[in-house]
Every structure is written in C-alpha cells, then in structure tokens.
Amino acid sequence: MRRRLLLPFLLVVSLGGPGAAVEREAREPSEADVIAACLRTWGQSPFAGAEAPRFKVLGSSVKVFGIGSDVTDEGTTAEPQLVLVKSVVNVLGKARFRLMNPNGWYCFESAVTVLGKSEITAACGAHLASSADGVTVLGKAVVQRVGCSTEPPAERARPLESQPLP
C-alpha cells in the first residue's frame, strides 16, 4: 500500500509539481538552420545564393545494443542534391551510413555516440558536413570513400567538416 502512494508522489515531484510550466525559447534548430550551417561550412556549393534550397531528408536513426536501423541513400542524381541526415543516436552499437550519391551534399544534423562506432561509407564525390559538433563518449567515427579512381588513399580522404549552429 505504501509503495502505491509513493509512486504518484515521486511522479509529481519529478515533473516539477502540478501545473509547473517554464517559458523558454525553442532549443532545437529548425531544418533551415541546420542546412544553413552546413552551407556555411562548405562555403562554395551549388546551392550558394539560394534563399531556401530544396533538400531531401533521410530519417533519424537510433541504435541501442546494435538494434536499430541504418541510414542508406543508394540513389544517384545527375545534378547536385542537398540531403539532410536527421539526428542519430548510437549507444553500444555500430551505426552505419551508406551515402552513395556522388553528387550528394550530405548535411548531418547531429550525432551522439556512446560506447559505439559510426561507420560512414560515402561515394567518392559526395560532400559531407555537420551542422553541429557531435558528441562521442568512448566511441569513434570512421569515413570510408568508395568508387574513387586510382588516387592514393591520402588524397581521397575528406574530413567530416563541422561548424556549430549560431
């Protein structure tokens, strides 16, 4: 009986009491803010000057203990395509990204990796940027380029650029 009374009490206390509300500004950046941050990171891009560039969205991904979905973009386009990769959370697993459009400009919203690994396989010509610094706790991220010519590996490697949101 005592346990049943304690649970509602703890719930009310943890929620800040009945009717507790806090007014604040939005914390989450909009998709337009994320895209703008990536465009600033790239500097020169085919989308520069466009007030509201069109973009494709790849959905969010959550992986816990290796269970969850991978992020995949197998399509190719003749023209440059701006692609927003939504937030990724990876805990004690391996998050896999397969970004195969050589004309793709992939903009990562954010990523959190805890005791895990993120593997990004990208087409050689694809561009990668992050709109915000990711959080990695005892984990790592690896980018592998595929479909490149016979250039030495050192010339193929491109770092994942990053620029924090304003």
Side-chain angles (χ1 to χ4, degrees), residues 20-86:
V22 177
E23 189 174 322
R24 63 175 173 80
E25 292 184 24
R27 294 183 187 163
E28 296 297 319
S30 70
E31 289 181 345
D33 293 335
V34 171
I35 292 294
C38 285
L39 291 174
R40 282 192 305 275
T41 298
W42 286 314
Q44 295 293 330
S45 77
F47 315 102
E51 191 169 309
R54 295 180 51 90
F55 56 91
K56 175 180 175 178
V57 177
L58 298 179
S60 304
S61 173
V62 176
K63 271 207 168 176
V64 179
F65 300 116
I67 300 170
S69 61
D70 293 331
V71 175
T72 303
D73 183 20
E74 293 288 340
T76 59
T77 58
E79 299 295 320
Q81 182 180 42
L82 186 55
V83 182
L84 173 61
V85 181
K86 296 295 278 183

Side-chain angles (χ1 to χ4, degrees), residues 1-12:
M1 179 70 171
R2 224 170 135 182
R3 188 178 270 168
R4 283 189 223 161
L5 293 175
L6 184 59
L7 184 60
F9 172 75
L10 290 175
L11 183 60
V12 168

